[in-house]
Protein backbone atom coordinates (compact mmCIF):
# COMPACT_ATOMS: atom_id res chain seq x y z
CA UNK A 1 0.00 0.00 0.00
CA UNK A 2 1.57 3.26 -1.07
CA UNK A 3 0.89 6.48 0.81
CA UNK A 4 -1.72 7.77 -1.65
CA UNK A 5 -3.76 4.58 -1.33
CA UNK A 6 -3.56 4.91 2.44
CA UNK A 7 -4.88 8.48 2.26
CA UNK A 8 -7.76 7.36 0.05
CA UNK A 9 -8.61 4.33 2.17
CA UNK A 10 -8.38 6.03 5.55
CA UNK A 11 -10.22 9.23 4.67
CA UNK A 12 -13.34 9.83 6.78
CA UNK A 13 -15.81 12.72 6.49
CA UNK A 14 -15.07 15.29 9.19
CA UNK A 15 -17.93 17.18 10.81
CA UNK A 16 -16.13 18.64 13.83
CA UNK A 17 -13.44 21.17 13.14
CA UNK A 18 -11.06 22.99 15.48
CA UNK A 19 -10.31 26.70 15.14
CA UNK A 20 -6.88 26.36 13.57
CA UNK A 21 -7.01 28.06 10.17
CA UNK A 22 -6.03 26.12 7.08
CA UNK A 23 -2.71 27.36 5.75
CA UNK A 24 -3.37 29.57 2.73
CA UNK A 25 -0.74 27.82 0.60
CA UNK A 26 -2.35 24.46 1.38
CA UNK A 27 -5.79 25.71 0.30
CA UNK A 28 -4.22 27.04 -2.92
CA UNK A 29 -2.70 23.62 -3.55
CA UNK A 30 -6.04 21.89 -2.91
CA UNK A 31 -7.73 24.14 -5.46
CA UNK A 32 -4.92 23.66 -7.96
CA UNK A 33 -5.23 19.88 -7.54
CA UNK A 34 -8.97 20.14 -8.25
CA UNK A 35 -8.26 22.07 -11.45
CA UNK A 36 -5.86 19.37 -12.65
CA UNK A 37 -8.62 16.74 -12.52
CA UNK A 38 -9.62 15.22 -15.85
CA UNK A 39 -12.51 16.99 -17.58
CA UNK A 40 -14.64 16.05 -20.59
CA UNK A 41 -13.04 17.43 -23.76
CA UNK A 42 -10.90 19.68 -21.52
CA UNK A 43 -13.99 21.88 -21.24
CA UNK A 44 -13.91 22.35 -17.44
CA UNK A 45 -17.68 22.71 -17.24
CA UNK A 46 -17.51 24.03 -13.70
CA UNK A 47 -16.49 26.92 -11.51
CA UNK A 48 -15.21 26.80 -7.96
CA UNK A 49 -16.35 29.37 -5.43
CA UNK A 50 -14.06 29.65 -2.42
CA UNK A 51 -16.13 30.68 0.58
CA UNK A 52 -14.45 31.82 3.79
CA UNK A 53 -16.79 34.57 4.92
CA UNK A 54 -18.19 33.48 8.28
CA UNK A 55 -21.62 35.00 7.69
CA UNK A 56 -21.95 33.17 4.40
CA UNK A 57 -20.84 29.87 5.95
CA UNK A 58 -23.44 30.38 8.67
CA UNK A 59 -26.12 31.08 6.08
CA UNK A 60 -25.19 27.96 4.15
CA UNK A 61 -25.34 25.94 7.36
CA UNK A 62 -29.02 26.91 7.48
CA UNK A 63 -29.88 26.57 3.80
CA UNK A 64 -28.14 23.18 3.58
CA UNK A 65 -30.55 21.31 5.82
CA UNK A 66 -29.57 23.03 9.09
CA UNK A 67 -26.13 21.54 9.72
CA UNK A 68 -24.30 23.88 12.13
CA UNK A 69 -20.85 22.34 11.51
CA UNK A 70 -20.84 23.98 8.06
CA UNK A 71 -20.65 27.32 9.86
CA UNK A 72 -17.67 26.08 11.88
CA UNK A 73 -15.63 25.08 8.84
CA UNK A 74 -12.63 27.12 7.73
CA UNK A 75 -13.37 27.14 4.01
CA UNK A 76 -16.10 25.81 1.78
CA UNK A 77 -15.55 25.11 -1.90
CA UNK A 78 -18.66 25.22 -4.03
CA UNK A 79 -18.28 23.17 -7.18
CA UNK A 80 -20.82 24.64 -9.54
CA UNK A 81 -21.72 23.25 -12.93
CA UNK A 82 -21.02 26.14 -15.27
CA UNK A 83 -22.37 26.30 -18.81
CA UNK A 84 -22.64 30.07 -18.69
CA UNK A 85 -19.05 30.57 -19.84
CA UNK A 86 -19.12 28.23 -22.84
CA UNK A 87 -22.59 29.40 -23.86
CA UNK A 88 -21.47 33.02 -23.79
CA UNK A 89 -18.30 32.12 -25.69
CA UNK A 90 -20.39 30.37 -28.36
CA UNK A 91 -22.70 33.37 -28.69
CA UNK A 92 -19.78 35.79 -28.95
CA UNK A 93 -18.36 33.69 -31.77
CA UNK A 94 -21.54 33.30 -33.80
CA UNK A 95 -21.97 29.59 -33.17
CA UNK A 96 -25.77 29.83 -33.59
CA UNK A 97 -25.24 31.36 -37.05
CA UNK A 98 -22.63 28.74 -37.91
CA UNK A 99 -24.99 25.96 -36.77
CA UNK A 100 -27.78 27.35 -38.96
CA UNK A 101 -25.42 27.57 -41.94
CA UNK A 102 -24.65 23.86 -41.49
CA UNK A 103 -28.29 22.86 -41.05
CA UNK A 104 -28.16 22.42 -37.32
CA UNK A 105 -29.75 24.30 -34.46
CA UNK A 106 -27.71 25.62 -31.57
CA UNK A 107 -30.13 25.22 -28.68
CA UNK A 108 -27.94 26.44 -25.84
CA UNK A 109 -26.88 24.15 -22.98
CA UNK A 110 -28.56 20.73 -23.09
CA UNK A 111 -29.14 17.81 -20.72
CA UNK A 112 -25.87 16.26 -21.95
CA UNK A 113 -23.96 19.43 -21.02
CA UNK A 114 -25.67 19.43 -17.63
CA UNK A 115 -24.74 15.83 -16.81
CA UNK A 116 -21.20 16.16 -18.20
CA UNK A 117 -20.91 19.28 -16.04
CA UNK A 118 -21.98 17.34 -12.94
CA UNK A 119 -19.37 14.70 -13.82
CA UNK A 120 -16.63 17.30 -14.27
CA UNK A 121 -17.55 19.04 -11.02
CA UNK A 122 -17.60 15.85 -8.93
CA UNK A 123 -14.36 14.54 -10.42
CA UNK A 124 -12.64 17.82 -9.56
CA UNK A 125 -14.27 17.80 -6.12
CA UNK A 126 -12.89 14.38 -5.26
CA UNK A 127 -9.40 15.43 -6.32
CA UNK A 128 -9.75 18.31 -3.86
CA UNK A 129 -10.89 15.95 -1.10
CA UNK A 130 -7.96 13.58 -1.60
CA UNK A 131 -5.54 16.50 -1.86
CA UNK A 132 -6.89 17.85 1.46
CA UNK A 133 -6.50 14.43 3.06
CA UNK A 134 -2.84 14.34 2.01
CA UNK A 135 -2.32 17.52 4.07
CA UNK A 136 -4.29 16.20 7.05
CA UNK A 137 -7.11 18.66 6.32
CA UNK A 138 -10.60 17.33 7.07
CA UNK A 139 -13.44 17.56 4.56
CA UNK A 140 -17.11 16.77 4.17
CA UNK A 141 -19.38 16.76 1.13
CA UNK A 142 -22.64 18.67 1.52
CA UNK A 143 -25.07 17.33 -1.09
CA UNK A 144 -27.76 19.55 0.43
CA UNK A 145 -26.34 22.45 -1.56
CA UNK A 146 -28.55 21.13 -4.40
CA UNK A 147 -31.60 22.15 -2.34
CA UNK A 148 -33.11 25.65 -2.25
CA UNK A 149 -31.79 26.61 -5.68
CA UNK A 150 -33.54 29.99 -5.67
CA UNK A 151 -31.92 30.97 -2.36
CA UNK A 152 -28.48 29.73 -3.39
CA UNK A 153 -28.70 31.49 -6.75
CA UNK A 154 -29.34 34.74 -4.96
CA UNK A 155 -26.81 34.26 -2.15
CA UNK A 156 -23.99 33.32 -4.52
CA UNK A 157 -24.90 35.37 -7.62
CA UNK A 158 -25.37 32.32 -9.82
CA UNK A 159 -26.61 33.23 -13.31
CA UNK A 160 -28.63 30.98 -15.60
CA UNK A 161 -26.76 27.80 -16.60
CA UNK A 162 -24.76 27.79 -13.35
CA UNK A 163 -25.88 25.66 -10.43
CA UNK A 164 -24.36 24.00 -7.36
CA UNK A 165 -23.21 20.42 -7.98
CA UNK A 166 -21.67 19.94 -4.56
CA UNK A 167 -20.24 21.83 -1.62
CA UNK A 168 -17.24 20.64 0.34
CA UNK A 169 -16.39 22.08 3.73
CA UNK A 170 -12.80 21.93 4.94
CA UNK A 171 -11.14 22.42 8.30
CA UNK A 172 -8.50 21.20 10.70
CA UNK A 173 -9.53 18.79 13.43
CA UNK A 174 -8.25 17.12 16.57
CA UNK A 175 -10.17 13.89 16.94
CA UNK A 176 -9.28 10.49 15.53
CA UNK A 177 -12.14 9.69 13.13
CA UNK A 178 -13.44 6.14 12.82
CA UNK A 179 -13.76 4.42 9.44
CA UNK A 180 -17.34 3.58 8.43
CA UNK A 181 -17.96 0.19 6.92
CA UNK A 182 -19.07 -0.18 3.33
CA UNK A 183 -21.28 -2.80 1.71
CA UNK A 184 -19.34 -5.99 1.03
CA UNK A 185 -17.57 -6.10 -2.32
CA UNK A 186 -19.71 -8.99 -3.60
CA UNK A 187 -22.73 -6.63 -3.59
CA UNK A 188 -20.95 -3.72 -5.27
CA UNK A 189 -18.46 -5.16 -7.75
CA UNK A 190 -19.52 -7.51 -10.53
CA UNK A 191 -17.42 -9.30 -13.13
CA UNK A 192 -18.01 -8.60 -16.82
CA UNK A 193 -21.78 -8.01 -16.50
CA UNK A 194 -24.24 -6.68 -13.98
CA UNK A 195 -25.77 -9.22 -11.67
CA UNK A 196 -29.25 -8.52 -10.30
CA UNK A 197 -29.11 -9.53 -6.65
CA UNK A 198 -31.74 -11.98 -5.40
CA UNK A 199 -34.00 -11.24 -2.44
CA UNK A 200 -31.72 -13.28 -0.19
CA UNK A 201 -28.64 -11.46 -1.43
CA UNK A 202 -30.28 -8.08 -0.82
CA UNK A 203 -31.10 -9.18 2.74
CA UNK A 204 -27.52 -10.33 3.21
CA UNK A 205 -26.23 -7.01 1.82
CA UNK A 206 -28.05 -5.03 4.54
CA UNK A 207 -27.27 -7.52 7.35
CA UNK A 208 -25.02 -5.15 9.30
CA UNK A 209 -27.54 -2.27 9.18
CA UNK A 210 -30.36 -4.63 10.18
CA UNK A 211 -28.35 -6.03 13.11
CA UNK A 212 -27.66 -2.51 14.34
CA UNK A 213 -31.33 -1.61 14.09
CA UNK A 214 -32.41 -4.82 15.84
CA UNK A 215 -30.01 -4.24 18.73
CA UNK A 216 -31.78 -0.96 19.38
CA UNK A 217 -35.19 -1.07 17.69
CA UNK A 218 -37.38 2.01 17.40
CA UNK A 219 -41.06 1.19 17.76
CA UNK A 220 -42.12 3.50 14.90
CA UNK A 221 -40.44 1.24 12.39
CA UNK A 222 -40.62 -2.46 11.60
CA UNK A 223 -37.08 -2.55 10.26
CA UNK A 224 -34.02 -0.53 9.25
CA UNK A 225 -35.40 0.10 5.75
CA UNK A 226 -38.39 2.01 7.11
CA UNK A 227 -36.24 3.93 9.59
CA UNK A 228 -33.80 4.90 6.86
CA UNK A 229 -36.57 5.87 4.45
CA UNK A 230 -38.07 8.09 7.14
CA UNK A 231 -34.72 9.76 7.85
CA UNK A 232 -33.54 10.25 4.25
CA UNK A 233 -35.57 9.44 1.15
CA UNK A 234 -38.96 10.16 2.71
CA UNK A 235 -37.81 13.28 4.54
CA UNK A 236 -38.59 16.93 3.87
CA UNK A 237 -35.03 17.73 2.79
CA UNK A 238 -35.17 15.00 0.15
CA UNK A 239 -38.47 16.31 -1.15
CA UNK A 240 -36.86 19.74 -1.36
CA UNK A 241 -33.86 18.30 -3.21
CA UNK A 242 -36.17 16.77 -5.78
CA UNK A 243 -38.07 20.02 -6.23
CA UNK A 244 -34.90 22.07 -6.47
CA UNK A 245 -33.24 19.71 -8.97
CA UNK A 246 -36.33 19.77 -11.17
CA UNK A 247 -36.09 23.55 -11.17
CA UNK A 248 -32.38 23.39 -12.04
CA UNK A 249 -32.94 20.96 -14.91
CA UNK A 250 -35.47 23.28 -16.55
CA UNK A 251 -32.59 25.37 -17.90
CA UNK A 252 -31.23 22.42 -19.87
CA UNK A 253 -33.04 21.25 -22.97
CA UNK B 1 4.23 19.16 -2.65
CA UNK B 2 3.67 15.75 -1.19
CA UNK B 3 3.63 12.65 -3.37
CA UNK B 4 -0.19 12.43 -3.52
CA UNK B 5 -0.45 16.01 -4.81
CA UNK B 6 2.18 15.19 -7.42
CA UNK B 7 0.17 12.18 -8.60
CA UNK B 8 -2.98 14.29 -8.85
CA UNK B 9 -1.25 17.17 -10.62
CA UNK B 10 0.75 15.10 -13.08
CA UNK B 11 -1.97 12.66 -14.09
CA UNK B 12 -2.81 12.71 -17.79
CA UNK B 13 -5.47 10.66 -19.61
CA UNK B 14 -3.80 7.70 -21.34
CA UNK B 15 -5.16 6.50 -24.67
CA UNK B 16 -2.28 4.27 -25.79
CA UNK B 17 -1.64 1.18 -23.72
CA UNK B 18 1.06 -1.48 -23.98
CA UNK B 19 0.30 -5.19 -23.64
CA UNK B 20 1.65 -5.66 -20.12
CA UNK B 21 -1.27 -6.84 -17.96
CA UNK B 22 -2.18 -4.89 -14.85
CA UNK B 23 -1.18 -6.84 -11.76
CA UNK B 24 -4.31 -8.43 -10.30
CA UNK B 25 -3.54 -7.25 -6.78
CA UNK B 26 -3.15 -3.68 -8.02
CA UNK B 27 -6.54 -3.80 -9.77
CA UNK B 28 -8.06 -5.13 -6.52
CA UNK B 29 -6.52 -2.22 -4.64
CA UNK B 30 -7.84 0.29 -7.19
CA UNK B 31 -11.36 -1.10 -6.77
CA UNK B 32 -11.05 -1.14 -3.00
CA UNK B 33 -9.92 2.51 -3.08
CA UNK B 34 -13.01 3.38 -5.15
CA UNK B 35 -15.25 1.70 -2.59
CA UNK B 36 -13.70 3.75 0.22
CA UNK B 37 -14.76 7.01 -1.46
CA UNK B 38 -17.29 9.11 0.43
CA UNK B 39 -20.90 8.41 -0.51
CA UNK B 40 -24.16 10.23 0.30
CA UNK B 41 -25.64 8.82 3.52
CA UNK B 42 -23.26 5.83 3.12
CA UNK B 43 -25.77 4.55 0.56
CA UNK B 44 -23.24 3.66 -2.18
CA UNK B 45 -25.75 4.34 -4.93
CA UNK B 46 -23.57 2.63 -7.53
CA UNK B 47 -22.17 -0.65 -8.73
CA UNK B 48 -18.84 -1.29 -10.40
CA UNK B 49 -18.59 -3.72 -13.28
CA UNK B 50 -15.07 -4.96 -13.91
CA UNK B 51 -14.69 -5.72 -17.62
CA UNK B 52 -11.67 -7.63 -18.89
CA UNK B 53 -13.24 -9.74 -21.63
CA UNK B 54 -11.57 -8.70 -24.88
CA UNK B 55 -14.71 -9.14 -26.96
CA UNK B 56 -16.68 -6.93 -24.63
CA UNK B 57 -13.96 -4.26 -24.60
CA UNK B 58 -13.99 -4.33 -28.41
CA UNK B 59 -17.76 -3.99 -28.46
CA UNK B 60 -17.59 -1.04 -26.09
CA UNK B 61 -14.94 0.57 -28.26
CA UNK B 62 -17.61 0.64 -30.99
CA UNK B 63 -20.61 1.62 -28.88
CA UNK B 64 -18.66 4.40 -27.15
CA UNK B 65 -18.23 6.60 -30.22
CA UNK B 66 -15.79 4.32 -32.08
CA UNK B 67 -12.65 4.72 -30.01
CA UNK B 68 -10.40 1.71 -30.76
CA UNK B 69 -8.08 2.31 -27.78
CA UNK B 70 -10.89 1.13 -25.46
CA UNK B 71 -10.44 -2.33 -27.01
CA UNK B 72 -6.72 -2.19 -26.28
CA UNK B 73 -7.15 -1.45 -22.58
CA UNK B 74 -6.44 -4.09 -19.95
CA UNK B 75 -9.50 -3.49 -17.78
CA UNK B 76 -12.50 -1.21 -17.90
CA UNK B 77 -14.46 -0.28 -14.80
CA UNK B 78 -18.03 0.72 -15.41
CA UNK B 79 -19.38 2.94 -12.65
CA UNK B 80 -23.12 2.49 -12.85
CA UNK B 81 -25.66 4.46 -10.88
CA UNK B 82 -27.60 1.76 -9.03
CA UNK B 83 -30.98 2.40 -7.44
CA UNK B 84 -32.10 -1.15 -8.13
CA UNK B 85 -30.61 -2.51 -4.90
CA UNK B 86 -32.08 0.09 -2.52
CA UNK B 87 -35.43 0.05 -4.30
CA UNK B 88 -35.63 -3.73 -3.99
CA UNK B 89 -34.55 -3.53 -0.35
CA UNK B 90 -37.31 -1.00 0.33
CA UNK B 91 -39.92 -3.18 -1.37
CA UNK B 92 -38.79 -6.27 0.57
CA UNK B 93 -39.19 -4.34 3.81
CA UNK B 94 -42.62 -2.87 3.13
CA UNK B 95 -41.46 0.71 2.81
CA UNK B 96 -44.37 1.60 0.47
CA UNK B 97 -46.82 0.37 3.14
CA UNK B 98 -44.93 2.25 5.86
CA UNK B 99 -44.97 5.43 3.72
CA UNK B 100 -48.72 5.12 3.23
CA UNK B 101 -49.24 4.59 6.97
CA UNK B 102 -47.40 7.86 7.60
CA UNK B 103 -49.26 9.78 4.89
CA UNK B 104 -46.50 9.75 2.34
CA UNK B 105 -46.13 8.07 -1.02
CA UNK B 106 -43.13 5.93 -1.86
CA UNK B 107 -42.68 6.64 -5.54
CA UNK B 108 -39.58 4.57 -6.20
CA UNK B 109 -36.29 6.15 -7.28
CA UNK B 110 -36.53 9.88 -7.98
CA UNK B 111 -34.50 12.57 -9.75
CA UNK B 112 -32.72 13.27 -6.45
CA UNK B 113 -31.65 9.63 -6.16
CA UNK B 114 -30.48 9.72 -9.77
CA UNK B 115 -28.29 12.81 -9.32
CA UNK B 116 -26.95 11.68 -5.93
CA UNK B 117 -26.13 8.37 -7.63
CA UNK B 118 -24.21 10.17 -10.38
CA UNK B 119 -22.33 12.07 -7.67
CA UNK B 120 -21.51 8.88 -5.76
CA UNK B 121 -20.37 7.12 -8.92
CA UNK B 122 -18.09 9.93 -10.10
CA UNK B 123 -16.58 10.46 -6.66
CA UNK B 124 -15.73 6.75 -6.46
CA UNK B 125 -14.46 6.83 -10.05
CA UNK B 126 -12.00 9.63 -9.34
CA UNK B 127 -10.67 7.77 -6.30
CA UNK B 128 -10.01 4.83 -8.64
CA UNK B 129 -8.23 7.10 -11.13
CA UNK B 130 -5.96 8.61 -8.50
CA UNK B 131 -5.30 5.17 -6.98
CA UNK B 132 -4.32 3.88 -10.45
CA UNK B 133 -2.02 6.85 -10.96
CA UNK B 134 -0.24 6.05 -7.68
CA UNK B 135 0.64 2.64 -9.16
CA UNK B 136 1.71 4.10 -12.50
CA UNK B 137 -1.35 2.61 -14.20
CA UNK B 138 -2.82 4.76 -16.98
CA UNK B 139 -6.52 5.61 -17.14
CA UNK B 140 -9.03 7.43 -19.29
CA UNK B 141 -12.66 8.41 -18.65
CA UNK B 142 -15.11 7.43 -21.38
CA UNK B 143 -18.17 9.67 -21.04
CA UNK B 144 -19.56 8.14 -24.23
CA UNK B 145 -20.76 5.19 -22.14
CA UNK B 146 -23.83 7.39 -21.47
CA UNK B 147 -24.76 7.02 -25.14
CA UNK B 148 -26.67 4.09 -26.63
CA UNK B 149 -28.39 3.19 -23.38
CA UNK B 150 -30.50 0.44 -24.97
CA UNK B 151 -27.41 -1.31 -26.35
CA UNK B 152 -25.46 -0.97 -23.11
CA UNK B 153 -28.40 -2.20 -21.04
CA UNK B 154 -28.51 -5.34 -23.14
CA UNK B 155 -24.75 -5.89 -23.36
CA UNK B 156 -24.21 -5.49 -19.62
CA UNK B 157 -27.50 -6.85 -18.25
CA UNK B 158 -28.49 -3.56 -16.64
CA UNK B 159 -31.95 -3.69 -15.08
CA UNK B 160 -34.27 -0.73 -14.56
CA UNK B 161 -32.82 1.91 -12.20
CA UNK B 162 -29.25 1.01 -13.16
CA UNK B 163 -27.41 3.02 -15.80
CA UNK B 164 -23.83 3.84 -16.78
CA UNK B 165 -22.49 7.01 -15.15
CA UNK B 166 -18.98 6.66 -16.49
CA UNK B 167 -16.53 4.12 -17.85
CA UNK B 168 -12.83 4.21 -17.08
CA UNK B 169 -10.33 2.21 -19.08
CA UNK B 170 -7.03 1.22 -17.48
CA UNK B 171 -3.76 -0.09 -18.82
CA UNK B 172 0.00 0.08 -18.59
CA UNK B 173 1.84 2.35 -20.98
CA UNK B 174 5.33 3.22 -22.17
CA UNK B 175 5.18 6.80 -23.41
CA UNK B 176 5.75 9.95 -21.42
CA UNK B 177 2.40 11.78 -21.54
CA UNK B 178 2.29 15.57 -21.82
CA UNK B 179 0.24 17.69 -19.40
CA UNK B 180 -2.62 19.59 -21.03
CA UNK B 181 -3.16 23.15 -19.98
CA UNK B 182 -6.26 24.24 -18.12
CA UNK B 183 -8.14 27.53 -18.18
CA UNK B 184 -6.41 30.11 -15.97
CA UNK B 185 -7.48 30.11 -12.35
CA UNK B 186 -9.01 33.60 -12.57
CA UNK B 187 -11.69 32.20 -14.92
CA UNK B 188 -12.43 29.12 -12.80
CA UNK B 189 -12.07 30.08 -9.16
CA UNK B 190 -14.03 32.93 -7.62
CA UNK B 191 -13.91 34.35 -4.11
CA UNK B 192 -17.03 34.27 -1.94
CA UNK B 193 -19.52 34.71 -4.82
CA UNK B 194 -19.83 33.83 -8.47
CA UNK B 195 -18.56 36.41 -10.90
CA UNK B 196 -20.17 36.55 -14.34
CA UNK B 197 -17.31 37.08 -16.75
CA UNK B 198 -17.54 39.99 -19.18
CA UNK B 199 -17.24 39.56 -22.95
CA UNK B 200 -13.60 40.61 -22.77
CA UNK B 201 -12.87 38.18 -19.97
CA UNK B 202 -14.48 35.34 -21.92
CA UNK B 203 -12.31 36.20 -24.91
CA UNK B 204 -9.25 36.26 -22.67
CA UNK B 205 -10.24 32.89 -21.17
CA UNK B 206 -10.15 31.20 -24.57
CA UNK B 207 -7.03 33.02 -25.79
CA UNK B 208 -4.83 29.93 -25.93
CA UNK B 209 -7.39 27.90 -27.89
CA UNK B 210 -7.95 30.81 -30.27
CA UNK B 211 -4.22 31.26 -30.83
CA UNK B 212 -3.87 27.57 -31.66
CA UNK B 213 -6.77 27.77 -34.10
CA UNK B 214 -5.42 30.91 -35.73
CA UNK B 215 -1.99 29.39 -36.24
CA UNK B 216 -3.63 26.65 -38.28
CA UNK B 217 -7.07 27.90 -39.38
CA UNK B 218 -9.58 25.59 -41.04
CA UNK B 219 -11.59 27.34 -43.70
CA UNK B 220 -14.89 25.75 -42.66
CA UNK B 221 -14.85 27.74 -39.44
CA UNK B 222 -14.49 31.41 -38.58
CA UNK B 223 -13.01 30.67 -35.16
CA UNK B 224 -12.18 28.02 -32.57
CA UNK B 225 -15.68 28.18 -31.07
CA UNK B 226 -17.30 27.04 -34.32
CA UNK B 227 -14.69 24.32 -34.84
CA UNK B 228 -15.18 23.04 -31.31
CA UNK B 229 -18.96 23.16 -31.59
CA UNK B 230 -18.73 21.14 -34.79
CA UNK B 231 -16.46 18.53 -33.21
CA UNK B 232 -18.28 18.16 -29.88
CA UNK B 233 -21.55 19.85 -28.95
CA UNK B 234 -22.96 19.91 -32.49
CA UNK B 235 -21.78 16.40 -33.37
CA UNK B 236 -23.77 13.21 -33.82
CA UNK B 237 -22.34 11.59 -30.70
CA UNK B 238 -23.49 14.53 -28.58
CA UNK B 239 -26.97 14.35 -30.07
CA UNK B 240 -26.97 10.65 -29.19
CA UNK B 241 -25.81 11.42 -25.63
CA UNK B 242 -28.72 13.82 -25.20
CA UNK B 243 -31.20 11.28 -26.55
CA UNK B 244 -29.79 8.47 -24.43
CA UNK B 245 -29.74 10.55 -21.23
CA UNK B 246 -33.34 11.59 -21.78
CA UNK B 247 -34.23 7.92 -22.04
CA UNK B 248 -32.27 7.15 -18.84
CA UNK B 249 -33.95 9.95 -16.90
CA UNK B 250 -37.41 8.61 -17.72
CA UNK B 251 -36.97 5.98 -15.00
CA UNK B 252 -36.60 8.65 -12.32
CA UNK B 253 -39.62 10.60 -11.19
Amino acid sequence: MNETIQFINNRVSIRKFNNKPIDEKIMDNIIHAAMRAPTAGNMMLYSIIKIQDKDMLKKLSETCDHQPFIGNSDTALLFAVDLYKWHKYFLLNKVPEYAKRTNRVYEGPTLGDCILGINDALIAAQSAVIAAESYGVGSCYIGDIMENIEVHRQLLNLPKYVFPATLIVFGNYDHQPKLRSRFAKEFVVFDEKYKSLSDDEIKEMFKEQEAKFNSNPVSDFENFAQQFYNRKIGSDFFKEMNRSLKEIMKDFK
Side-chain angles (χ1 to χ4, degrees), chain A:
Chain A
M1 292 288 164
N2 64 55
E3 197 181 65
T4 300
I5 298 287
Q6 287 176 41
F7 285 134
I8 295 175
N9 289 354
N10 295 326
R11 187 257 173 208
V12 177
S13 296
I14 300 297
R15 294 183 176 82
K16 189 168 185 269
F17 302 112
N18 64 24
N19 291 322
K20 197 178 152 225
I22 298 172
D23 183 275
E24 210 177 311
K25 183 75 196 136
I26 286 180
M27 189 43 72
D28 281 351
N29 290 349
I30 290 171
I31 291 172
H32 182 78
M35 289 182 58
R36 286 306 320 164
T39 148
N42 210 14
M43 287 188 282
M44 301 183 83
L45 299 176
Y46 62 87
S47 289
I48 300 172
I49 305 179
K50 184 171 89 169
I51 303 167
Q52 297 185 311
D53 178 72
K54 282 287 163 201
D55 282 345
M56 183 64 87
L57 292 171
K58 285 239 175 328
K59 277 180 195 159
L60 292 173
S61 77
E62 281 309 311
T63 60
C64 295
D65 195 33
H66 316 289
Q67 302 184 80
F69 77 92
I70 296 171
N72 297 329
S73 67
D74 176 273
T75 301
L77 295 183
L78 175 77
F79 289 80
V81 174
D82 191 337
L83 271 304
Y84 172 88
K85 291 181 285 195
W86 275 90
H87 179 57
K88 190 160 183 174
Y89 175 63
F90 281 167
L91 295 187
L92 284 172
N93 285 281
K94 301 198 165 48
V95 164
E97 291 82 345
Y98 163 75
K100 204 171 167 191
R101 219 159 54 230
T102 52
N103 299 312
R104 286 172 285 187
V105 180
Y106 176 71
E107 303 181 283
T110 60
L111 179 61
D113 294 307
C114 169
I115 301 293
L116 279 179
I118 293 178
N119 292 5
D120 269 13
L122 270 297
I123 290 170
Q126 182 61 359
S127 281
V129 160
I130 296 173
E133 187 71 17
S134 79
Y135 289 115
V137 170
S139 62
C140 187
Y141 278 93
I142 311 291
D144 301 281
I145 193 71
M146 291 185 282
E147 296 156 27
N148 298 310
I149 179 63
E150 299 82 359
V151 179
H152 290 139
R153 271 195 182 131
Q154 218 218 327
L155 271 182
L156 298 157
N157 283 349
L158 308 181
K160 197 173 180 184
Y161 305 130
V162 177
F163 68 88
T166 198
L167 185 78
I168 306 174
V169 292
F170 296 90
N172 288 309
Y173 60 101
D174 300 315
H175 61 292
Q176 186 62 42
K178 259 183 32 194
L179 273 194
R180 291 188 74 180
S181 63
R182 297 283 188 251
F183 291 120
K185 192 178 161 187
E186 61 191 293
F187 307 121
V188 178
V189 183
F190 305 116
D191 279 338
E192 304 299 343
K193 291 191 178 200
Y194 187 80
K195 186 188 136 195
S196 295
L197 300 178
S198 68
D199 291 4
D200 283 348
E201 284 167 325
I202 292 284
K203 281 175 197 161
E204 181 70 18
M205 175 177 165
F206 286 88
K207 204 174 58 176
E208 193 185 310
Q209 283 85 343
E210 292 289 350
K212 220 168 162 182
F213 174 85
N214 290 330
S215 73
N216 190 15
V218 185
S219 60
D220 296 357
F221 317 107
E222 293 165 345
N223 48 50
F224 170 75
Q226 294 179 4
Q227 185 189 38
F228 192 87
Y229 168 82
N230 182 62
R231 183 158 57 88
K232 295 267 182 193
I233 313 298
S235 70
D236 284 345
F237 84 80
F238 213 89
K239 212 168 156 178
E240 168 52 26
M241 185 177 292
N242 272 319
R243 187 206 61 81
S244 184
L245 280 169
K246 261 176 217 160
E247 191 58 38
I248 288 169
M249 305 291 275
K250 278 183 193 163
D251 284 349
F252 299 92
K253 288 178 195 88

